[in-house]
Amino acid sequence: METMTTCKATPRGLRIWIEGDKLSAAGFPPATPYSTIYDASENVIRIYFDNASKKRVTKSTRNGNPRPIIDLMNKKVGDVFTAGDALRVTFSDNNITIARA
């Protein structure tokens, strides 16, 4: 499964926001531990299930339904992408890959 998003500039840095049922379907429901690899040489960010990680998928609700969110906002995002880049997010079992579209 794929979706599109944009790398956005915020006052605190670049941000990539992923949310919704696509995350749950790929094995990332709320509270799932995950780790992130920022690969500037390949221009890709990989998110994967990691039981040992302290980072967790955020739980939000919309109309009473759980809504998982992964919000990447740090300097490492800027090492891989630039503000305004169109991004393709690919979901597979326990893995998410973010690359330029």
Side-chain angles (χ1 to χ4, degrees):
M1 180 183 331
E2 288 186 350
T3 190
M4 301 295 287
T5 192
T6 304
C7 185
K8 296 187 173 134
T10 71
R12 292 184 11 206
L14 296 182
R15 172 181 253 174
I16 299 171
W17 180 278
I18 307 167
E19 68 175 64
D21 293 337
K22 298 173 287 291
L23 283 171
S24 293
F28 293 91
T32 300
Y34 70 92
S35 287
T36 309
I37 297 172
Y38 298 86
D39 189 340
S41 64
E42 295 287 326
N43 292 317
V44 69
I45 296 174
R46 291 182 178 85
I47 301 169
Y48 61 94
F49 174 82
D50 181 0
N51 211 24
S53 178
K54 293 184 180 189
K55 289 188 282 184
R56 305 268 186 233
V57 176
T58 303
K59 179 183 179 181
S60 179
T61 57
R62 181 179 283 165
N63 299 325
N65 297 318
R67 180 178 62 144
I69 297 171
I70 293 179
D71 182 9
L72 302 178
M73 186 168 66
N74 56 56
K75 293 182 191 282
K76 292 178 185 177
V77 172
D79 292 341
V80 181
F81 303 119
T82 57
D85 280 349
L87 303 175
R88 173 176 284 114
V89 183
T90 306
F91 301 89
S92 59
D93 290 340
N94 298 318
N95 287 287
I96 299 169
T97 303
I98 305 168
R100 283 190 181 94

